[in-house]
Amino acid sequence: SSSSTASFAAASNRVAPSTKAAKSVGDIRKLKLITAVKTPYLEDGRFDFEAYDRIVDDQIAHGVEGLIVGGTTGEGHLMSWDEHIMLIAHTVNQFGDRLTVIGNTGSNSTREALHATEQGFNVGMHASLQINPYYGKTSNKGMAAHLKAGLAEGPGIVYNVPARTSQDIPDEVIEELSQHENFLGVKECTGNDRIANYTKKGIVCWSGNDDEAHDARHIAGAAGVISVTSNVIPGLFSSLMDARDDELNEAVQPLVSWMFREPNPTGLNTMLSMMGACKPVFRMPYMAYDKEWREEGVQLLEALGGDAVAPSVRSLSSLDDDDFTYVYSSR
Amino acid sequence: SSSSTASFAAASNRVAPSTKAAKSVGDIRKLKLITAVKTPYLEDGRFDFEAYDRIVDDQIAHGVEGLIVGGTTGEGHLMSWDEHIMLIAHTVNQFGDRLTVIGNTGSNSTREALHATEQGFNVGMHASLQINPYYGKTSNKGMAAHLKAGLAEGPGIVYNVPARTSQDIPDEVIEELSQHENFLGVKECTGNDRIANYTKKGIVCWSGNDDEAHDARHIAGAAGVISVTSNVIPGLFSSLMDARDDELNEAVQPLVSWMFREPNPTGLNTMLSMMGACKPVFRMPYMAYDKEWREEGVQLLEALGGDAVAPSVRSLSSLDDDDFTYVYSSR
Amino acid sequence: SSSSTASFAAASNRVAPSTKAAKSVGDIRKLKLITAVKTPYLEDGRFDFEAYDRIVDDQIAHGVEGLIVGGTTGEGHLMSWDEHIMLIAHTVNQFGDRLTVIGNTGSNSTREALHATEQGFNVGMHASLQINPYYGKTSNKGMAAHLKAGLAEGPGIVYNVPARTSQDIPDEVIEELSQHENFLGVKECTGNDRIANYTKKGIVCWSGNDDEAHDARHIAGAAGVISVTSNVIPGLFSSLMDARDDELNEAVQPLVSWMFREPNPTGLNTMLSMMGACKPVFRMPYMAYDKEWREEGVQLLEALGGDAVAPSVRSLSSLDDDDFTYVYSSR
Amino acid sequence: SSSSTASFAAASNRVAPSTKAAKSVGDIRKLKLITAVKTPYLEDGRFDFEAYDRIVDDQIAHGVEGLIVGGTTGEGHLMSWDEHIMLIAHTVNQFGDRLTVIGNTGSNSTREALHATEQGFNVGMHASLQINPYYGKTSNKGMAAHLKAGLAEGPGIVYNVPARTSQDIPDEVIEELSQHENFLGVKECTGNDRIANYTKKGIVCWSGNDDEAHDARHIAGAAGVISVTSNVIPGLFSSLMDARDDELNEAVQPLVSWMFREPNPTGLNTMLSMMGACKPVFRMPYMAYDKEWREEGVQLLEALGGDAVAPSVRSLSSLDDDDFTYVYSSR
């Protein structure tokens, strides 16, 4: 596998501006803990930058090394592209010297993916996350061409999540892409067997499943995790990625399980609202967990040690139903 | 089922302008053949209105009663919203007095769905097609709220296609939505058993599967079909919807099967290009079938009778690979 | 002048779709009364289509033959392009068979002018209004190229209003443009001497000044007027365009003068709000006349005969300051 | 005037994120040389970031202390807002620690001005430039409310250029705005008498006229200049702002005069193309000076000392007409 790995070290073919703080492909491949960061909102649905900056500061303080900005977790699919690029630019400007900024600038439309990825690199993001065409789907030939076009803009991670896209990226497509000089690796959500298989071939993987991430890293050979739960317990996830700790891994599972009872980021949005890390404002179609589940969530977080593990906790509360605001429209 | 049906006849709660040629909810529910119409392109990726108008004229001439504009087939997900609304407005203006114009103005973003659906009704579309939040997904509660918000804008068909969205719309959500005065029915892609079940409850269904559409209508009680293959053989599909004809249904299956060898509209785009109905221009990530499959497609169409069944055929040819143009970007 | 006039009759070089109800260049050139129609708003700043449709119905009933949609009067410069095209499409769909729909799809950006003009024709508008590059300005060479590009999309009226654009379109540019087959004529705001001069050369003119419009038509040879005040008194303006009537012309001058005490459409927005033709909602930066002027406006309208001349009057009132809503943002 | 000046020092009421490298209002008011920087293009009309970064590096090296990004000179009116914000974000990210980045985020639409100004501050710009409503115009009351709304987003310079806007900002409006804590000063284009008058009242001014800038600073009391010509001869303009030098001021006048023979940035675009600082690509409606004027321009620049004064000169040439590319559309 050394020969295919060799090409990974090649220089980027990115023609866009070299940013002051560009990260090398090699450095990005070593990131262990990347958070798919929450996007917090004001009551009118605009971004709450004050909450965002506080969240990111806490992330950095507790060992997070990179961020996916506007991922599915961060609800990039609920943003206009100018909002999305604005958030990437803001993150680069405020935090780009302290962690790696990865913009989720893929799309099921090749045109949109290229537009957003180009803009993201122009405002200084370090890497992109590229998705295969969800919903519209396409042939394997079309999928490979789509993903290659995204990679041509700059260093990129390919994201395989058939439970969202309805279409798996086959091994042969990943192997073909892995020859691209801008290919960083795969965010893989189909399990640790596949991660182990890719890793053997020299293809860098990040687990996309919080429940399997510890084993992915310490058994299956993943570089690390692109995590949702690390929004809540960044310090514990940092520990889980740093060294094998089966006991800790077991201890966090009940919380992880709670987070994904409904499609992400339903649980995350609920939890961060309860922690006071953000206002309890949801862009539709996401709606908070019901009261009963919220109370369980509070208990699960408290069981893990409260403030110590959840640095953004300002006032842990299960809240009332009418504390939540649901934003349907940008008007 | 008569009591639940009763509410269907209620007046629209649409606050937008009443259009000159508005269709009644009852009339729309009787449509048997609706085509998810192809969007043809010029070499630079813009819409080819000349080809589009010719295709729609042919559709009308061969019995098509309604169109989905910018569906997944028409590649709404590859359009900017202003392009999409422009195409709906154009269709209304040119053809709105001859068939029912249904805009695919749903989205996985509630904000976008509302914006587009409102604009679509403002430019005169007769109904919308509403999708549950694909890719981003959400809880059933969020899904129902999302779809109800879309229906509040005007008469709408709900679209269930878990093979694209990764998330089924459960029966209980459909039943809840069916109480909404603007609910027209379901485009259902999960099979005729479910259609039969819905039909028994007074919920209008259109089959979203061309291979099952004949039986859906004549056995399972569907109102008709929202079809892809009717772009190619509208007259035959019109016959299939008008009266039971098992022989004809069997005869078209090889072509139908060919159409869906790769995710739609890969096959449709290839076929219409070969028929000369549109230029062989694809917006990425769609790419034409390979030569061998193209030749099979020509034979399958010819076997059905050529010109007689495919009114848009101008020069049937399997084309060469380099006849195809792939548009990556709007620049 | 007959030779230069000859070219005016040439067919359009428009490649976009031929709309069902396309108007001939010759017919558009004969329009006497075109209203730059008001865009009414709901309290949240969205278009009020109910008020709009009522206004347009009244316009048609009182002799208006054409509309400028989203002109400076209709505040096209305060619309997003998708709103603007939506309004054009709506107008075509609802009223395109009863009057001529002219979209103000010009811009100081050539790219935007071409994009909007193309979209406007695609949704069925009959003609465009093209402006020279205001604010950014350019050389005469650039100006001519810019305006020609707009005309290439379809039949167009060129708009000369240096009191807004800061740059006059020189005679030689107009004469050069007049050779273009899609050139309909000029909306000229610099006075009747210039109109008389253009008219002698066979160049069709519409006056852009309500106070001079009667003389422009009956003395200087203008085809008619593109009017603001005709939003308020369409019947009287129709009479003024139909036949010379110096007495009537004198009678309307006090109202006309009132309308333009502040930059248009400040006065128009105030008057239509007072007439109940629209809600008293202003998109910023427009703000209503003060109470004292409003009272004068009511008296001036009443002096002209009230309901008889102002068909949209529902409840004439000078309103209170806090009746007005000012919308700053689309959120 | 000390009492009115006092309010200038008040803290910003900006609620947006505090950026890492925010500049104080007091520091921005001391800037002597701000360049309204050129936006260079690739052949397809996209931004040429490589050329841009080289130009800005040269600007900094020769004493420029601040940039207006996407001004009328930088053709902000020919950009989509997402392009414009992207360019501001890029400039902040690459150069924000070396000079002050002022985004031209004003608009004649209050909604657009607020949207763009908010986004600009979110991506880290240090200040905005706010324009009164050009083209659409409004009452003084509307104008003041419009400009105050822009200032509420963060520190801003108000731009008075009636030769573009067709409407002067009256002294009383400026004086009212000068009480706003985010008001930095005026970019004034109506001459040095007015600047002297404002200066006496404690209102900070930058001259917007390159020919008068030296006297504005050293005689009329201006803080400095927001310059076009400094794109070409930044070092000389830096000297002119640093200390009185009537001889040098006289020496640069022929070049300055050449720059404004046609509406700016026609001359600037031509000159930078001839210097090899950017590709000879123009977004329409701007078109290069004719050959004869180009040759004069080369001579005028050479007369000033060539490379020494024009750091971006790579290959000074009057070019041929067909060296120039004119981009009409983003397709």
Side-chain angles (χ1 to χ4, degrees), chain B residues 14-28:
Chain B
R14 170 81 185 137
V15 293
S18 60
T19 56
K20 283 191 313 187
K23 314 281 182 182
S24 78
V25 163
D27 284 350
I28 300 176

Side-chain angles (χ1 to χ4, degrees), chain C residues 35-41 51-52 54-56 58-59 73-74 228-234 255 258-259 264-282 294 297-298 301 310-317 319 324:
Chain C
T35 295
V37 68
K38 159 74 179 164
T39 306
Y41 304 111
Y52 182 79
R54 207 171 49 217
I55 289 170
V56 177
D58 281 344
Q59 291 280 304
T73 300
V228 174
T229 310
S230 59
N231 280 281
V232 178
I233 47 171
L255 177 64
W258 182 93
M259 297 282 289
N264 176 57
T266 306
L268 175 65
N269 290 348
T270 304
M271 180 59 84
L272 290 182
S273 295
M274 294 194 300
M275 290 162 62
C278 64
K279 295 180 193 299
V281 176
F282 286 54
R294 294 202 299 268
V298 166
L301 190 63
S312 297
V313 169
R314 267 137 192 91
S315 57
L316 194 58
S317 152
L319 300 174
F324 292 92

Side-chain angles (χ1 to χ4, degrees), chain B:
Chain B
S1 70
S2 64
S3 65
S4 71
T5 311
S7 74
F8 296 167
S12 160
N13 64 357
R14 170 81 185 137
V15 293
S18 60
T19 56
K20 283 191 313 187
K23 314 281 182 182
S24 78
V25 163
D27 284 350
I28 300 176
R29 286 214 187 95
K30 288 178 196 140
L31 299 175
K32 292 173 292 187
L33 179 53
I34 300 169
T35 295
V37 69
K38 158 76 179 163
T39 305
Y41 304 111
L42 300 172
E43 278 83 359
D44 63 5
R46 283 182 301 158
F47 296 161
D48 181 347
F49 283 101
E50 194 181 318
Y52 182 80
D53 288 358
R54 209 170 48 218
I55 289 170
V56 178
D57 267 327
D58 281 345
Q59 290 281 305
I60 295 169
H62 288 77
V64 173
E65 302 158 304
L67 296 181
I68 304 288
V69 178
T72 43
T73 301
E75 302 174 0
H77 51 292
L78 305 186
M79 297 175 187
S80 61
W81 277 118
D82 68 326
E83 280 185 319
H84 199 150
I85 301 298
M86 172 178 73
L87 188 60
I88 292 170
H90 171 79
T91 310
V92 169
N93 189 43
Q94 294 288 91
F95 304 104
D97 52 354
R98 295 164 66 198
L99 47 54
T100 298
V101 179
I102 303 163
N104 177 35
T105 54
S107 171
N108 61 346
S109 155
T110 310
R111 179 182 60 76
E112 292 193 35
L114 295 185
H115 175 78
T117 303
E118 179 185 4
Q119 289 212 341
F121 280 113
N122 287 339
V123 302
M125 71 179 185
H126 304 116
S128 76
L129 184 68
Q130 297 292 333
I131 192 85
N132 54 313
Y134 53 85
Y135 183 54
K137 304 198 293 188
T138 187
S139 60
N140 287 351
K141 188 168 65 163
M143 185 194 291
H146 172 89
L147 291 167
K148 271 186 202 166
L151 291 177
E153 297 286 331
I157 297 171
V158 174
Y159 182 16
N160 187 35
V161 59
R164 287 189 181 278
T165 62
S166 299
Q167 192 172 27
D168 185 64
I169 308 178
D171 285 30
E172 53 268 31
V173 170
I174 290 293
E175 285 165 29
E176 182 185 346
L177 295 173
S178 75
Q179 303 306 311
H180 195 291
E181 58 194 347
N182 282 331
F183 176 83
L184 292 165
V186 195
K187 176 183 177 187
E188 182 55 67
C189 302
T190 61
N192 287 347
D193 287 352
R194 204 164 187 194
I195 287 174
N197 186 45
Y198 280 146
T199 298
K200 276 184 216 136
K201 294 178 178 163
I203 294 171
V204 174
C205 294
W206 288 271
S207 172
N209 297 335
D210 283 346
D211 57 343
E212 303 176 334
H214 174 267
D215 292 356
R217 168 141 174 76
H218 300 295
I219 299 172
V225 65
I226 295 180
S227 175
V228 174
T229 311
S230 59
N231 279 281
V232 178
I233 48 170
L236 295 189
F237 260 74
S238 181
S239 300
L240 285 172
M241 291 300 106
D242 277 349
R244 185 161 181 171
D245 185 339
D246 291 347
E247 198 177 345
L248 178 60
N249 188 36
E250 194 145 330
V252 303
Q253 292 304 324
L255 176 64
V256 169
S257 174
W258 182 94
M259 296 283 289
F260 297 94
R261 287 188 187 174
E262 295 283 6
N264 176 57
T266 307
L268 175 65
N269 290 348
T270 304
M271 181 58 84
L272 291 182
S273 296
M274 294 194 299
M275 290 162 62
C278 63
K279 295 180 194 297
V281 176
F282 286 54
R283 283 191 180 184
M284 291 294 293
Y286 296 112
M287 300 186 77
Y289 279 4
D290 287 338
K291 182 76 175 177
E292 191 181 348
W293 286 14
R294 294 202 300 269
E295 286 168 351
E296 284 182 61
V298 167
Q299 288 160 12
L300 289 168
L301 189 63
E302 283 173 341
L304 282 172
D307 249 58
V309 298
S312 297
V313 169
R314 268 138 191 90
S315 57
L316 195 59
S317 154
S318 65
L319 299 174
D320 290 322
D321 284 354
D322 56 11
D323 288 331
F324 292 91
T325 298
Y326 298 104
V327 179
Y328 279 74
S329 145
S330 57
R331 274 189 305 274

Side-chain angles (χ1 to χ4, degrees), chain A residues 43-108:
Chain A
E43 277 83 0
D44 63 5
R46 284 181 302 158
F47 296 159
D48 180 347
F49 283 102
E50 194 180 317
Y52 182 79
D53 287 0
R54 208 171 50 217
I55 289 169
V56 178
D57 266 328
D58 281 344
Q59 290 280 303
I60 295 170
H62 289 77
V64 173
E65 301 157 306
L67 297 181
I68 303 289
V69 179
T72 43
T73 301
E75 302 175 359
H77 51 291
L78 304 187
M79 298 175 186
S80 61
W81 277 118
D82 68 326
E83 279 185 319
H84 199 152
I85 301 299
M86 173 179 72
L87 188 60
I88 293 171
H90 171 79
T91 310
V92 169
N93 189 44
Q94 293 289 90
F95 303 104
D97 52 353
R98 296 164 67 198
L99 47 54
T100 297
V101 179
I102 303 163
N104 177 35
T105 55
S107 171
N108 61 347

Side-chain angles (χ1 to χ4, degrees), chain D residues 196-245:
Chain D
N197 185 44
Y198 279 146
T199 299
K200 276 184 216 135
K201 294 178 178 163
I203 295 171
V204 173
C205 293
W206 288 272
S207 172
N209 298 335
D210 284 346
D211 57 344
E212 301 176 335
H214 174 268
D215 291 357
R217 168 141 174 75
H218 300 296
I219 299 173
V225 66
I226 295 180
S227 175
V228 174
T229 310
S230 59
N231 279 282
V232 179
I233 48 171
L236 294 189
F237 260 74
S238 182
S239 299
L240 285 172
M241 291 299 106
D242 277 349
R244 184 160 182 172
D245 185 340

